[in-house]
Amino acid sequence: MISEFRLPDLGEGLTEAEVVQWLVQPGDTVTLNQTLAEVETAKAVVELPSPYAGTVASLHAGAGETVAVGAPLIAFDVDGEDSPSGDDLAAAAGAASAADDRADGEVKADAGEKAQPNLVGYGAAPSSGARPARRARRSVAAATIDVTTEAAVNAAAPHDALPPAAAEPIVGERPRSTPPVRAHAKRRGVDLVLVAAEVGDRVITRADVDAYADRIGAAPAAPAPDEAPAPASVPQPRGERAQTRTPIKGVRKHTAQAMVRSAFTAPHVTTFHTVDVTATMELIEQLRADRSLTEHRIGPLVVVARAVCLALGRNPSLNATWDEDAGEIVENHFVDLGIAAATERGLIVPIIRDAERLSLTGMADALGELTQTARSGKTSPAELAGGTFSITNIGVFGIDAGTPILPPGQSGILAVGAVRRQPWEYKGEIALRQLMTLSVSFDHRLVDGAEGARFLKDVADLLEQPGRAMLF
């Protein structure tokens, strides 16, 4: 019996997704929950599991094509008695969508139930109540690959970035790369594990693959099955100016729509303040020298994030939401802290849930995990949803200040500038001190200028005198 699988709602009301690459072809035999393809939404790259066990009959879209939610994606030749019906899948999808309160997105199943389809974005549905195990990653002769971490994924807009991370050994993990790069490496016959051993612990790019392939004398890349041969370049007439046109889609399209909506909905106000963070930087050096804290990467962004959570407790209007439909101001008594990250796919803002509950070391661990996930391109839609206040680290680019745009629905965002050693008045004399400029943008419908200034001053006081945190 031929059964069609239609593209499900991947969460957050997304209406379409682009097929990045197919991992199966017509005629292949697949098992339940086997990964069929990688699709890219406006927020994340998602692995699409099979809702059937059977044989792939046909693919309804090629790599690079955009498919609307509900449109046919792939057809299977399956046993009608053992495969879930379309109604079963729809009911399961509805149940999964209602499970937003589970942070890891699991779809639970009672012990003894038969295996159910693994719905996209909600994790596996095991036959027991246990959390599903992560997919095993391939290793190189079970060896440990020590790689040096370079800068975090910070190649896009200079106002949204994560800080660099320290070196960390990775045991048998799949190299970090995007789906198109993995497909390109496969066409060139290059093992990404070997490339990772040379480039270090960062996202492998197409250029890295080509450089390695050229060095070992690999054959040129063959065109992908779904790609037409590239047309030969045509010389431009003298005096004519060349252009490159790139389709507006994926994260870039979503970001543009969100920023325009925010800029023309919320009246933005930005306030700046330069802070003497010498005491904070000295504290960080002391914590880094403490052997008991070597597993926790405590840097300036970690301390700023902790200070922001403390300051929001004293200035709740910057942690509120304007509900236009209900005609209400919603004041949040928790902090879901967004950390803006510029990745190869574009701008994303993953969330640290209940950040106000975290200690300094807990915040360091949460930021480290967030960085690793964003760098590997595995941030899920659930990890990008919501957020009550955001931080963007422009200091990693050597930038001092900026006017960040609010993420839609939030009333405040703080830009953290670079730490610079400059002359500064200190105890009645001129001394070289370590300075940082903070820039906070806020929604003037919710936050008056005085409230925005008090919040910024509270953050600054905590950075100038870290011991003040004991008073909050």
Side-chain angles (χ1 to χ4, degrees):
M1 181 182 73
I2 299 297
S3 297
E4 285 190 336
F5 177 47
R6 299 174 182 271
L7 181 67
D9 182 353
L10 304 179
E12 291 299 299
L14 301 176
T15 60
E16 63 184 17
E18 177 187 345
V19 178
V20 176
Q21 68 170 343
W22 283 105
L23 303 178
V24 297
Q25 294 297 325
D28 290 353
T29 299
V30 299
T31 58
L32 184 67
N33 291 334
Q34 177 181 335
T35 302
L36 302 172
E38 291 178 325
V39 297
E40 182 178 16
T41 71
K43 291 190 173 183
V45 174
V46 179
E47 292 181 344
L48 192 69
S50 174
Y52 300 104
T55 303
V56 177
S58 61
L59 307 179
H60 291 301
E65 293 186 26
T66 299
V67 181
V69 170
L73 188 65
I74 183 174
F76 299 88
D77 187 358
V78 298
D79 183 346
E81 294 182 357
D82 295 333
S83 62
S85 67
D87 292 339
D88 291 338
L89 289 173
S97 297
D100 291 338
D101 58 329
R102 290 198 294 270
D104 56 4
E106 294 178 65
V107 178
K108 305 235 180 233
D110 294 333
E113 283 188 356
K114 68 178 182 178
Q116 295 295 321
N118 177 3
L119 298 175
V120 180
Y122 299 99
S127 57
S128 68
R131 179 190 295 266
R134 292 180 62 122
R135 183 179 65 181
R137 302 202 173 195
R138 60 177 181 160
S139 61
V140 185
T144 299
I145 304 172
D146 289 333
V147 290
T148 301
T149 303
E150 296 188 2
V153 181
N154 292 325
H159 66 280
D160 303 283
L162 291 169
E168 178 183 12
I170 297 182
V171 182
E173 288 194 351
R174 183 174 65 181
R176 297 187 179 92
S177 61
T178 61
V181 170
R182 292 199 291 272
H184 180 65
K186 184 177 181 180
R187 292 196 295 271
R188 296 215 64 177
V190 171
D191 190 338
L192 288 178
V193 174
L194 301 179
V195 179
E198 292 193 357
V199 304
D201 184 20
R202 63 171 173 81
V203 174
I204 298 173
T205 66
R206 189 185 185 100
D208 294 329
V209 172
D210 288 336
Y212 181 85
D214 293 342
R215 187 163 56 256
I216 66 174
D226 302 283
E227 294 179 356
S233 59
V234 179
Q236 296 289 336
R238 179 173 297 179
E240 184 173 342
R241 293 176 294 175
Q243 293 180 325
T244 300
R245 292 180 174 267
T246 303
I248 302 173
K249 58 183 181 180
V251 172
R252 180 61 58 192
K253 178 179 179 180
H254 173 78
T255 300
Q257 293 172 343
M259 293 299 97
V260 170
R261 183 169 68 253
S262 175
F264 286 93
T265 300
H268 285 55
V269 174
T270 305
T271 301
F272 305 87
H273 186 49
T274 299
V275 188
D276 182 349
V277 295
T278 305
T280 287
M281 299 307 293
E282 291 174 348
L283 172 63
I284 291 172
E285 289 302 318
Q286 294 171 7
L287 296 176
R288 286 175 173 172
D290 189 334
R291 293 184 178 181
S292 66
L293 300 176
T294 53
E295 296 182 358
H296 310 285
R297 296 171 180 165
I298 300 176
L301 184 59
V302 173
V303 181
V304 170
R306 180 65 183 143
V308 163
C309 291
L310 293 173
L312 287 174
R314 292 165 55 95
N315 303 275
S317 63
L318 281 100
N319 195 42
T321 302
W322 182 277
D323 191 334
E324 185 71 33
D325 295 335
E328 297 174 338
I329 294 175
V330 182
E331 186 175 299
N332 301 300
H333 301 289
F334 55 87
V335 179
D336 282 351
L337 187 63
I339 305 295
T343 72
E344 289 187 343
R345 295 178 56 246
L347 170 66
I348 62 174
V349 187
I351 308 299
I352 299 175
R353 307 290 176 187
D354 298 318
E356 82 285 356
R357 299 182 180 181
L358 299 177
S359 63
L360 198 62
T361 54
M363 186 71 74
D365 294 343
L367 275 170
E369 182 178 352
L370 178 149
T371 301
Q372 294 288 344
T373 304
R375 189 186 292 128
S376 65
K378 293 299 183 180
T379 306
S380 68
E383 293 171 310
L384 299 170
T388 62
F389 188 93
S390 290
I391 298 175
T392 173
N393 185 9
I394 61 177
V396 293
F397 300 107
I399 303 300
D400 296 326
T403 55
I405 296 178
L406 294 167
Q410 298 182 23
S411 62
I413 179 172
L414 180 74
V416 180
V419 178
R420 299 190 184 280
R421 192 170 177 83
Q422 299 180 34
W424 191 256
E425 191 276 330
Y426 178 68
K427 294 184 177 180
E429 298 180 357
I430 299 298
L432 285 176
R433 305 289 290 175
Q434 298 190 73
L435 307 180
M436 171 192 291
T437 299
L438 303 175
S439 315
V440 62
S441 292
F442 52 87
D443 185 342
H444 216 339
R445 297 174 301 176
L446 287 154
V447 184
D448 294 334
E451 293 173 302
R454 279 196 295 267
F455 165 79
L456 195 58
K457 187 63 168 59
D458 284 340
V459 174
D461 287 346
L462 290 169
L463 296 178
E464 288 180 342
Q465 303 177 49
R468 289 177 60 89
M470 300 296 293
L471 301 176
F472 279 72

